[in-house]
Every structure is written in C-alpha cells, then in structure tokens.
Amino acid sequence: MHVFLGITGASGAPYAARLLEALAAADCEVGVCVSGAGVEVLATELYGDASLPRDEVLARLIEPAHGAARIYDPNDWKAPYGSGSAKVDAYVVCPCSMGTLGTVASGAMQNVIHRAVSVALKEGRKLVLMPRETPLSEIHLTNMLTLRRAGAVMLFLAPGFYHGAESLDDLVDFIVGRALDQLGLENQLAKRWGQ
Ligand SMILES: Cc1cc2nc3c(=O)[nH]c(=O)nc-3n(C[C@H](O)[C@H](O)[C@H](O)COP(=O)(O)O)c2cc1C
C-alpha cells in the first residue's frame, strides 16, 4: 500500500512517529512531507530541542521506518502527491494543524501537503485528517465540517481511556490503531471494545 503522510505543526508528534513506524511495519511505502512548523514540533516534542536542524529531525524521524519512508520537501512540486495521476492508496495528515485545516478547507494550496489533500478529495481517495487544537472556534468547527462533507475522515487526536491505558504509549497506540483501521490495515495496537 502506498501512503502519503503529511506532518504539520500541531502538537502530537508522538502520534506521527508511531504512525510512521506502524505503516512501515505493515509493509507500506510511505511518502512523508513535513511542514516547517511540523519540523519544529517534532524537534520539540520528540527530541527536546526546538533548534535541531531540519535534516537532523527528519533523519531521526524516518530511521525506525527502515527504508520504507521517503521524505519530500513541502515545496517539491515534482513529488507524486502533486497529481492525481500518481498511484497513491491513502493520504493521512497527522497531526493536522488548524492552519493546514483552514487552508485545505478553502481549497487553497501552498505546499505539497495541501496539494496532496486536495488531490485526495478531488480523486475521491481515502483521506484521514488528524487535527489537534482546543478549544475549537466556530471557524475550526466549520472547516472540519466542510472537510468531512467533502469526504475526509476527521480522526481527532483524542484518545479514549476505556481500553485500560497504563502509559502514554498506550494512548498513542489507541489513536494510531484507529488510523490504521481507517486505512484497512490489520492491527492489535489497542484492546478493542468487547474483547
Ligand atoms: C510547539 C508548537 C505547538 C503547536 N501546537 C499547535 C496545535 O496543537 N494546533 C494547531 O492548530 N497549531 C499549533 N501550533 C501552531 C502551528 O504550528 C502554526 O499555526 C503553523 O503556522 C501551522 O503551519 P502548518 O500547518 O503549515 O504546519 C503549534 C506550534 C508550535 C511551535
């Protein structure tokens, strides 16, 4: 399965890192595109140093994917995700900032992540957006409704606690498991209701 993973500048870097690892473990080919703000959040939340250079952050991020992931620059308009003619099975933005959410809800495209979302919508392909913000303004809520109506799955970064979570990793796995479910990828990352 060929998956696009956009990482933007909302809090929630551990979800992105775990999702990338899980996609690679599921034998997916993953094209990764990280916005400038996304790099800053990864550096802050995963590596504890907001000033780490972009290349260093991205090298550390994809290392656990063991060659299954390839990085694309947000301004690389030659990337396959810029056109519907490229064979891509699913598109995920995790975490998805309110900035990216608002841009794509308006139909605007300023980088490859926005363009990939737009392509997924126009081609009717699987698109999972994983936003994080709180509280939410009417503008945020309207943008989410617009995107849901256009065909995106809104998978909010809000883990449940009913599966007996004992650690942060359990909460991260809960969300990543739900994302993999949306992509049709078999997983046992979190205990399922009724199990
Ligand atoms: C450490 C950090 C945490 C942030 N957390 C959030 C957040 O949870 N949600 C959000 O919408 N924006 C958040 N922001 C602000 C976005 O990064 C900012 O709006 C940026 O312009 C988004 O651009 P992008 O969508 O291209 O990544 C955060 C920024 C930083 C530096």
Side-chain angles (χ1 to χ4, degrees):
M1 186 174 192
H2 183 176
V3 180
F4 171 81
L5 174 60
I7 300 176
T8 66
S11 185
Y15 295 113
R18 184 76 182 101
L19 179 57
L20 176 56
E21 208 180 313
L23 289 171
D27 282 335
C28 293
E29 171 191 353
V30 193
V32 182
C33 185
V34 188
S35 70
V39 169
E40 192 172 330
V41 175
L42 291 171
T44 303
E45 295 186 344
L46 293 181
Y47 312 122
D49 179 0
S51 66
L52 270 185
R54 178 181 179 88
D55 288 350
E56 169 75 21
V57 171
L58 298 182
R60 288 198 202 183
L61 177 74
I62 63 166
E63 201 267 330
H66 302 299
R70 180 171 165 185
I71 294 285
Y72 291 87
D73 190 88
N75 294 312
D76 178 5
W77 298 106
K78 293 185 296 309
Y81 313 104
S83 168
S85 64
K87 290 251 180 211
V88 181
D89 300 295
Y91 302 72
V92 184
V93 181
C94 173
C96 182
S97 74
M98 293 301 117
T100 287
L101 199 87
T103 303
V104 296
S106 76
M109 294 159 234
Q110 293 175 339
N111 63 33
V112 168
I113 300 172
H114 306 151
R115 177 63 184 163
V117 169
S118 170
V119 166
L121 292 174
K122 83 184 175 76
E123 300 290 339
R125 295 182 187 157
K126 190 76 188 187
L127 170 64
V128 182
L129 300 177
M130 302 173 66
R132 200 223 75 93
E133 182 60 290
T134 198
L136 295 163
S137 72
E138 183 174 337
I139 295 170
H140 298 145
L141 292 164
T142 302
N143 287 337
M144 281 189 232
L145 185 57
T146 299
L147 288 160
R148 176 65 195 135
R149 286 181 172 158
V153 171
M154 305 304 306
L155 205 160
F156 213 78
L157 292 177
F161 290 79
Y162 56 78
H163 63 304
E166 290 175 353
S167 66
L168 281 181
D169 285 347
D170 290 341
L171 295 174
V172 170
D173 277 355
F174 176 94
I175 290 291
V176 171
R178 300 306 300 268
L180 297 182
D181 287 348
Q182 285 297 325
L183 304 183
L185 293 169
E186 187 53 43
N187 72 89
Q188 303 296 331
L189 287 184
K191 200 170 135 197
R192 295 177 186 278
W193 187 250
Q195 261 184 350

